[in-house]
Amino acid sequence: MSPTPSPRAPAVVNEDIRALWAGRGGDPRVRLTAAQRELYERLLIEWEAAVRADVVTAA
């Protein structure tokens, strides 16, 4: 399954990823819930697609 290009900029998706991790209170021992892990995985796929789209656009 190949991800589709993201309509959002990589920096915007990255901010969502950072906010998700920051929501744990900054404690590295606190793990993401199952739902948060699913969201994290979707965000990573979206971020990767956005980065690739930027690289293609820059080329």
Side-chain angles (χ1 to χ4, degrees):
M1 174 173 125
S2 62
T4 57
S6 173
R8 300 193 301 162
V12 174
V13 180
N14 190 38
E15 284 188 25
D16 288 348
I17 293 170
R18 289 179 182 271
L20 177 64
W21 283 104
R24 296 173 20 258
D27 187 346
R29 297 171 294 175
V30 177
R31 296 177 182 246
L32 297 175
T33 66
Q36 289 170 323
R37 279 192 308 269
E38 287 180 30
L39 174 58
Y40 177 64
E41 289 173 11
R42 286 194 310 267
L43 287 170
L44 285 179
I45 291 168
E46 181 181 1
W47 177 82
E48 181 181 20
V51 168
R52 287 181 186 211
D54 271 3
V55 169
V56 169
T57 301

